[in-house]
Amino acid sequence: TMFEPLKETVALLKTYGDKMPEEILLLLQKLPEHWDNNKKLCLRVAENAAPLQAAEAAVIRQKCQ
């Protein structure tokens, strides 16, 4: 996944004795789910905005004719 490099970095830091706070580790685990939720939200917003954009484009076309 796209968050693997972050997990690998945390693991590398751990090998050098730099421990991440538990809160950061939990956030890192939840990150893929939050990212998927944000992508779904963006798609819903785009779907809802499409008719409004089409209507505005029609208004502009009418003004140009």
Side-chain angles (χ1 to χ4, degrees), residues 57-65:
V59 168
I60 292 171
R61 261 190 243 106
Q62 282 291 337
K63 289 180 180 179
C64 292
Q65 290 180 358

Side-chain angles (χ1 to χ4, degrees), residues 5-30:
L6 285 173
K7 291 178 182 178
E8 291 169 2
T9 301
V10 169
L12 179 64
L13 289 170
K14 188 176 180 181
T15 63
Y16 287 99
D18 192 2
K19 188 176 179 196
M20 290 287 163
E22 191 65 30
E23 181 181 327
I24 298 297
L25 297 175
L26 289 173
L27 288 172
L28 190 57
Q29 287 177 350
K30 294 178 182 179

Side-chain angles (χ1 to χ4, degrees), residues 11-54:
L12 179 64
L13 289 170
K14 188 176 180 181
T15 63
Y16 287 99
D18 192 2
K19 188 176 179 196
M20 290 287 163
E22 191 65 30
E23 181 181 327
I24 298 297
L25 297 175
L26 289 173
L27 288 172
L28 190 57
Q29 287 177 350
K30 294 178 182 179
L31 200 54
E33 180 183 346
H34 287 293
W35 181 252
D36 287 339
N37 289 341
N38 279 336
K39 288 192 304 186
K40 290 175 187 175
L41 175 62
C42 287
L43 290 173
R44 281 196 308 267
V45 169
E47 288 172 358
N48 290 338
L52 299 172
Q53 287 176 325

